């Protein structure tokens, strides 16, 4: 079971790459991930926004090629034994950059309950890429 979301941004591919791999930029539009390191094998953790420390996410970088793709695992160790994978693919277009995010293995979270249903991931990724990242990239890095 997968979710695929594609968005196009009117900015150069290098700017999108920086937004998805620079922890200072990610903190503005995505999640606060203080231990993110762009290195194969590196593990990073984060929670949903807010002070509740809700939904621990633990991920491991599986591979990357600057300005082309980033691939990492995506798990919820406090809620599920499952593991999924995220692939962020960047492609230059005439007017900017096309980002395709593919989140595979969502069925592995079936032991975690309704909060981890495919529909919730689809809605979340559409919001994150279609609103948060788009506003960040196309409105001069302003907070969403």
């Amino acid at each position: 079971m997968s979710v695929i979301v594609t968005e196009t941004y009117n900015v150069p591919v290098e700017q999108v790459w920086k937004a998805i791999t620079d922890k200072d930029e990610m903190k503005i539009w995505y999640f606060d991930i203080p231990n993110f390191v762009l290195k194969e094998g590196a593990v990073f953790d984060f929670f949903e926004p807010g002070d509740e420390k809700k939904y621990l996410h633990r991920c491991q970088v599986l591979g990357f090629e600057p300005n082309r793709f980033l691939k990492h695992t995506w798990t919820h160790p406090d809620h599920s034994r499952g593991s999924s994978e995220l692939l962020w693919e960047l492609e230059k277009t005439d007017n900017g950059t096309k980002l395709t995010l593919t989140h595979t293995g969502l069925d592995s979270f079936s032991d975690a309950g309704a909060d981890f249903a495919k529909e919730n991931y689809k809605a979340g990724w559409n919001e994150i890429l279609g609103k948060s990242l788009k506003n960040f990239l196309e409105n001069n890095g302003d907070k969403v």
Side-chain angles (χ1 to χ4, degrees):
M1 185 170 22
S2 303
V3 167
I4 300 171
V5 176
T6 301
E7 282 291 337
T8 302
Y9 307 102
N10 295 320
V11 298
V13 70
E14 295 81 8
Q15 191 174 339
V16 180
W17 178 254
K18 187 173 183 206
I20 68 170
T21 60
D22 180 300
K23 64 184 173 186
D24 294 327
E25 291 201 5
M26 286 190 284
K27 186 176 183 175
I28 298 169
W29 69 270
Y30 187 44
F31 293 103
D32 183 10
I33 313 175
N35 66 338
F36 180 84
V37 178
L38 186 60
K39 178 181 174 188
E40 196 165 326
V43 175
F44 58 97
D45 304 282
F46 60 96
F47 293 92
E48 294 292 312
D51 296 329
E52 304 143 28
K53 300 286 187 203
K54 191 174 181 182
Y55 301 126
L56 172 66
H57 300 67
R58 177 158 295 139
C59 307
Q60 182 174 22
V61 177
L62 299 173
F64 66 92
E65 183 179 325
N67 303 317
R68 296 285 313 275
F69 78 90
L70 169 63
K71 185 175 186 178
H72 62 81
T73 62
W74 179 280
T75 68
H76 301 281
D78 292 346
H79 295 88
S80 174
R81 290 184 299 279
S83 181
S84 62
E85 288 185 2
L86 273 177
L87 176 61
W88 306 72
E89 296 175 283
L90 302 179
E91 182 182 328
K92 289 182 182 180
T93 65
D94 290 340
N95 298 324
T97 304
K98 178 174 132 183
L99 168 63
T100 303
L101 179 113
T102 305
H103 194 164
T104 59
L106 294 172
D107 49 331
S108 73
F109 298 140
S110 61
D111 62 344
D115 285 350
F116 299 86
K118 176 183 177 181
E119 296 76 31
N120 291 336
Y121 284 99
K122 185 173 184 173
W125 288 122
N126 277 306
E127 177 80 16
I128 288 168
L129 300 182
K131 291 185 181 170
S132 298
L133 181 57
K134 187 174 271 296
N135 287 339
F136 175 78
L137 290 169
E138 296 181 0
N139 294 313
N140 301 316
D142 291 340
K143 194 166 180 124
V144 184

